[in-house]
Amino acid sequence: MEGSIKDFNVYVGTEIGILKGINLNQKAIIHKNFHKIKALERDEEITAMAWGDEEQSEIMMGLRNQTIRIFDTDAKAFVSSREINIGEGPIVSIGRWDGITITAMKSGQVTLWLGKEPVEINALKTGDFLTCMRQNPVSPHVIATGGKENDLQLWDFQNPEVPIFRARNVKPDMLELRVPVWVTDVVFLDQHSVAVSSRHKHVRLYDPQRQRRPVLNFEWEESPLTCISSVPSGNSQILVGTAHGRMALFDLRGRKPEAPLNVYKGFAGGVRDAVVHPRHPLVFSVSLDRYLRVHHLTSSKLLVKEYLKSRLNCLLVREKLEESDVFDIRRSAKRKMTAEDPGQSKSQLYERKFQTMIWNH
């Protein structure tokens, strides 16, 4: 089995600070902890993850205690660690531009670590705290930030003194009350469009070249939105997850953008992170119920559901993952269930599998 596995193709970060590698392949699902649990402390929670290079041979992790750790996926070992000690609170986002690390702190400091003279942006001149920072994949020197009472802003590291765009809040509601702002996640859809999710249930689409207010604004569900991700194959489609375990696909340029194209079910905890594979119609997500799930993008069928024993915060998926691995896992699981005892009914088979799962966990 080990000889047939080339590498782990999914990585997840947990609340207790463990980095887990998962291998989805045609024979089984294998996962491994890259930390010793006894050696971890509560303040080592992994709060942010990002690829460190285009070859996806490095993983950068930001921790709650303001430490940056680098994991080598080829050597399967941690190769460096650095405490940054800037601002207050955990690292909420991490990135890389031209080999240089970018960090965003909860207290608002966004820093490009250029040796002894880092470039720093104060992204929290107004508001309570920062919750997210994302890079523009087309122009990595441009970033988007947002937080509680800190609306969307775009910054350019080539001119970091002032933001190149600052969003304006929507008009007051029908009772002439101000609409609160709490950006939870940001995603770039193309060179000019940016979408955000809000803890107050809002999905908003901005076109910075046209206006400061959102060109599209709607609410979904009755729970806070926790994450937002784009569909690489379509510039206008986004994936949104909620704190109550709901996840849906939207087309922001469709006839009814507020109506979800697909709703992905099966969650028993808040969705913390979701990623759409860049080459295959697969949606990967992690949630507080400790499961990694893989859904089909268009049919919304649940293909993989793997229990990982820890509360999960974030995930990364390798581009080289093959679609056939995920579907073969589903088929092999069905064959295993039906082949256990031909004389048993379906209900007996499911009951036996459920009892086995409880015994193992």
Side-chain angles (χ1 to χ4, degrees):
M1 176 69 72
E2 292 181 358
S4 64
I5 298 171
K6 187 177 182 180
D7 206 348
F8 295 98
N9 42 33
V10 180
Y11 295 88
V12 299
T14 70
E15 278 194 358
I16 60 175
I18 297 176
L19 175 68
K20 293 174 177 280
I22 300 97
N23 184 279
L24 306 179
N25 62 81
Q26 297 180 4
K27 295 182 179 180
I29 300 177
I30 300 172
H31 46 87
K32 177 183 179 181
N33 294 343
F34 294 110
H35 286 88
K36 294 182 179 179
I37 299 179
K38 293 183 179 179
L40 291 173
E41 298 181 1
R42 178 61 181 170
D43 63 352
E44 296 183 67
E45 174 186 356
I46 301 174
T47 54
M49 287 172 57
W51 293 113
D53 54 10
E54 294 182 358
E55 294 77 21
Q56 298 183 347
S57 63
E58 286 185 356
I59 295 176
M60 300 187 302
M61 296 181 297
L63 309 186
R64 177 171 291 277
N65 61 3
Q66 298 191 355
T67 300
I68 301 172
R69 285 181 180 164
I70 306 297
F71 180 82
D72 190 317
T73 59
D74 295 330
K76 297 179 178 60
F78 293 93
V79 294
S80 66
S81 179
R82 175 183 180 182
E83 294 184 8
I84 56 176
N85 295 325
I86 183 172
E88 298 179 355
I91 299 173
V92 297
S93 296
I94 193 167
R96 181 69 65 88
W97 173 44
D98 197 19
I100 303 169
T101 302
I102 304 172
T103 59
M105 313 303 297
K106 186 176 181 180
S107 55
Q109 292 83 6
V110 180
T111 308
L112 181 67
W113 294 95
L114 284 168
K116 297 181 179 180
E117 298 181 357
V119 177
E120 185 174 315
I121 292 173
N122 181 11
L124 200 67
K125 294 182 179 179
T126 60
D128 295 342
F129 54 80
L130 201 68
T131 56
C132 60
M133 179 275 295
R134 294 289 181 266
Q135 287 178 267
N136 186 336
V138 179
S139 304
H141 57 90
V142 176
I143 63 169
T145 62
K148 184 177 181 182
E149 293 304 333
N150 182 254
D151 216 337
L152 171 68
Q153 296 181 88
L154 301 183
W155 303 83
D156 190 340
F157 274 111
Q158 296 175 346
N159 185 22
E161 287 76 16
V162 293
I164 58 177
F165 172 78
R166 181 177 290 156
R168 188 179 179 186
N169 197 7
V170 296
K171 296 180 180 179
D173 61 16
M174 58 183 300
L175 299 176
E176 291 300 319
L177 298 176
R178 176 185 174 275
V179 179
V181 173
W182 193 336
V183 177
T184 54
D185 205 355
V186 184
V187 65
F188 286 90
L189 300 183
D190 52 38
Q191 181 67 22
H192 306 296
S193 300
V194 186
V196 304
S197 60
S198 165
R199 194 166 181 84
H200 298 293
K201 305 173 290 184
H202 302 117
V203 175
R204 292 174 178 171
L205 176 65
Y206 293 87
D207 187 346
Q209 292 188 335
R210 289 177 53 187
Q211 61 187 47
R212 291 176 58 192
R213 282 198 169 110
V215 296
L216 176 66
N217 177 50
F218 63 88
E219 295 183 12
W220 184 63
E221 292 290 324
E222 293 299 324
S223 62
L225 305 184
T226 55
C227 61
I228 186 171
S229 180
S230 63
V231 178
S233 58
N235 291 334
S236 61
Q237 292 186 350
I238 61 166
L239 195 75
V240 175
T242 77
H244 290 173
R246 298 275 284 174
M247 191 168 69
L249 178 70
F250 295 89
D251 188 349
L252 299 183
R253 302 234 167 95
R255 292 185 177 181
K256 294 183 178 180
E258 71 282 358
L261 300 177
N262 282 321
V263 176
Y264 306 91
K265 300 179 180 179
F267 299 93
V271 181
R272 298 301 300 270
D273 199 4
V275 173
V276 182
H277 196 274
R279 295 191 295 113
H280 306 305
L282 300 173
V283 179
F284 296 78
S285 59
V286 291
S287 54
L288 291 182
D289 60 6
R290 310 180 186 211
Y291 279 92
L292 165 71
R293 291 178 175 85
V294 184
H295 290 83
H296 193 275
L297 179 66
T298 54
S299 69
S300 71
K301 290 184 179 179
L302 180 61
L303 305 176
V304 175
K305 180 181 177 182
E306 183 69 8
Y307 184 72
L308 297 178
K309 299 182 181 179
S310 303
R311 288 160 64 97
L312 310 174
N313 280 347
C314 42
L315 84 158
L316 295 174
V317 181
R318 280 188 177 275
E319 187 176 351
K320 69 179 183 181
L321 178 141
E322 296 297 331
E323 186 178 6
S324 60
D325 291 340
V326 175
F327 284 102
D328 285 342
I329 290 171
R330 182 178 174 88
R331 284 194 288 268
S332 62
K334 286 185 177 180
R335 286 197 298 269
K336 182 179 179 181
M337 182 178 292
T338 55
E340 285 180 354
D341 187 350
Q344 291 185 349
S345 64
K346 282 188 177 181
S347 61
Q348 290 172 324
L349 286 170
Y350 279 108
E351 182 178 1
R352 179 180 173 183
K353 192 169 185 64
F354 179 73
Q355 291 173 347
T356 303
M357 181 180 69
I358 293 176
W359 177 260
N360 291 336
H361 295 313

